[in-house]
Amino acid sequence: MREDIRASVDATMVNPDDVWDVFLAKAVRRFELWVKEAVGFTPRDATEERPAPFQEVEIPPLDVIMIWHTYLLNPRIYYEDGLRINKALLLLRAGFPLHYIASTALQLPTPTRINYFETHTGEPFHQPPFEEIASTLLRCPGCQEENTVLWYKRDETGYAQHGFNSPCSKCSVCLSHETFGVAKMARDLAKVHEDPQSNTMATLLLRSRTGRPYPTFAREWNLGVLQSLESFKPEEYTKALEWNFETSLRVLTAGFNNPANSVVSYRNAIKRLMKAYNTRTSLSIDLIAAVKRQFKFVNKIAGFGWLDEGAFPADSKANDGKEESRALRRCVTQYHAFLDLMTAHPKKFLVPTLVSRYRYRLFSAFYNTMLP
């Protein structure tokens, strides 16, 4: 997919890497729309605790699938975002429909599948080709005015680019990725002010060791940070943060240092928190950067020949008589051995072999319940 997108433009006119960045930024936006507008609309027996398998009609386009797949490979962030931001994410935890996607990747999508996505999201099923004049609407976090901004600009200040910078057409706020990140932080702080017992900031809800909800830590932090902002009303939090991460870091650090806060190891916590807000979306992870990292993994396994047809032949029989790959069975065995090592050495940081953990992570609900 990446090489097809890069090859779709004249490299003498536009940098193919910029075109790929625009494609990924649009894919993330389409993923957010899909989760918000389309997930959970078909009748199925699904709850947050017992998510149900996907129906064929619900499977989104390939670019959205790519973003979803990458997101699932970060199960801790995915789970907490589902608890904090959008509970529809928890309905997606039944498992990534890998077999269906792999078996139909080269087939045309069915009309019902296309209609389902387009009806619910208002987006075309297939992402339109790159155009320099393509734009999107952004609501200014300062005055709520809608602004039309370009995805790509030759001076690298388009919305899909790292240097995004565009003055609001109505107020003095300069729209940038930093501006939207600080606004997201201010909104979460306002929710904490409204209900410090139930709401929390990104990355603080789950216990670092187990990945399970641990609201005590978050409540302690809430108490300290709210006292550091007590001279401001919730609607003034963006003013307190001065629309930049440097001031935000100073304010949040004051909250961690507050005598009312008994949290000792706050430095790692605040580092994770700042990273979660330094994203372009409502989510707590930079999915564009995450997709790019994932491609490094794909290149590695391609180099090993593991993507070649016949790389994992069915050369043995399982206990139930079904044919299976001896190599893949060995991967599963290695992963079980890794879990045994983690249980035996809970204080050590252990990393499994290259492939064994990836498939398991795609089943977020089961991955979370297996944590110690």
Side-chain angles (χ1 to χ4, degrees):
M1 179 192 291
R2 179 181 59 179
E3 296 312 311
D4 289 343
I5 299 299
R6 287 166 50 86
S8 66
V9 296
D10 184 349
T12 62
M13 301 295 293
V14 182
N15 186 337
D17 289 336
D18 289 336
V19 176
W20 178 237
D21 285 346
V22 170
F23 181 84
L24 291 180
K26 289 182 176 180
V28 172
R29 174 71 66 85
R30 283 156 57 86
F31 170 77
E32 286 193 283
L33 275 173
W34 174 66
V35 172
K36 180 181 178 182
E37 305 293 347
V39 172
F41 275 84
T42 55
R44 55 196 178 112
D45 182 20
T47 64
E48 295 169 18
E49 292 75 23
R50 298 180 63 84
F54 258 59
Q55 297 182 20
E56 183 271 340
V57 70
E58 295 178 285
I59 307 298
L62 192 57
D63 62 323
V64 176
I65 288 172
M66 176 178 64
I67 300 300
W68 180 25
H69 173 267
T70 301
Y71 199 4
L72 282 168
L73 292 176
N74 297 270
R76 179 193 179 93
I77 298 174
Y78 187 95
Y79 178 49
E80 188 185 69
D81 279 357
L83 294 173
R84 289 183 56 254
I85 300 173
N86 190 340
K87 293 189 181 300
L89 289 170
L90 302 182
L91 299 178
L92 294 171
R93 298 194 305 142
F96 188 74
L98 184 61
H99 178 75
Y100 174 83
I101 292 168
S103 63
T104 60
L106 299 180
Q107 301 175 14
L108 292 175
T110 62
T112 53
R113 184 179 160 199
I114 293 174
N115 182 66
Y116 183 86
F117 180 83
E118 294 185 344
T119 299
H120 285 94
T121 66
E123 286 276 313
F125 190 86
H126 298 288
Q127 192 180 136
F130 174 82
E131 289 183 324
E132 280 198 53
I133 60 172
S135 62
T136 187
L137 289 175
L138 294 179
R139 191 177 298 278
C140 173
C143 67
Q144 304 305 308
E145 179 75 5
E146 281 198 335
N147 289 256
T148 300
V149 299
L150 295 174
W151 287 98
Y152 166 84
K153 295 178 72 174
R154 289 180 180 262
D155 62 359
E156 300 185 351
T157 60
Y159 181 60
Q161 297 166 290
H162 287 292
F164 170 56
N165 192 301
S166 179
C168 175
S169 59
K170 185 177 180 180
C171 71
S172 60
V173 172
C174 182
L175 305 182
S176 67
H177 295 312
E178 183 177 43
T179 299
F180 284 102
V182 172
K184 178 170 65 171
M185 183 183 295
R187 286 194 300 271
D188 282 355
L189 283 168
K191 291 178 182 177
V192 168
H193 179 274
E194 179 183 350
D195 186 357
Q197 296 300 311
S198 302
N199 297 323
T200 184
M201 303 289 286
T203 74
L204 299 179
L205 181 58
L206 304 183
R207 193 164 199 158
S208 58
R209 179 121 214 107
T210 65
R212 304 283 176 82
Y214 183 54
T216 302
F217 176 87
R219 288 168 188 160
E220 289 182 349
W221 183 87
N222 289 347
L223 178 61
V225 77
L226 288 177
Q227 288 190 13
S228 70
L229 288 166
E230 61 184 356
S231 60
F232 294 90
K233 298 177 181 179
E235 60 269 23
E236 297 176 330
Y237 283 167
T238 49
K239 178 182 177 181
L241 303 179
E242 298 179 353
W243 295 107
N244 67 76
F245 283 127
E246 183 177 353
T247 301
S248 302
L249 177 62
R250 187 167 63 249
V251 170
L252 297 179
T253 301
F256 274 98
N257 281 328
N258 193 292
N261 191 339
S262 62
V263 178
V264 177
S265 57
Y266 69 85
R267 288 180 178 82
N268 288 337
I270 202 168
K271 183 178 179 181
R272 291 195 302 269
L273 185 146
M274 293 300 296
K275 185 177 180 181
Y277 286 100
N278 192 13
T279 67
R280 310 178 192 190
T281 67
S282 64
L283 309 175
S284 303
I285 180 174
D286 184 345
L287 283 170
I288 295 175
V291 168
K292 291 180 178 180
R293 290 193 299 271
Q294 183 62 17
F295 265 88
K296 294 180 181 179
F297 167 76
V298 172
N299 288 337
K300 281 185 179 179
I301 63 173
F304 295 154
W306 291 347
L307 299 184
D308 297 343
E309 186 176 356
F312 296 101
D315 51 8
S316 66
K317 288 187 178 294
N319 293 334
D320 59 3
K322 293 182 179 179
E323 292 186 340
E324 66 175 10
S325 165
R326 186 178 288 110
L328 291 179
R329 170 57 58 186
R330 190 159 53 244
C331 285
V332 174
T333 303
Q334 286 178 343
Y335 190 70
H336 280 281
F338 166 73
L339 293 177
D340 290 340
L341 280 173
M342 285 189 66
T343 303
H345 305 280
K347 295 184 178 181
K348 291 186 179 295
F349 182 78
L350 304 174
V351 180
T353 53
L354 190 62
V355 173
S356 58
R357 61 178 168 168
Y358 278 84
R359 175 74 167 131
Y360 195 20
R361 284 185 172 188
L362 297 180
F363 292 85
S364 176
F366 303 108
Y367 187 90
N368 181 258
T369 57
M370 291 298 292
L371 290 170

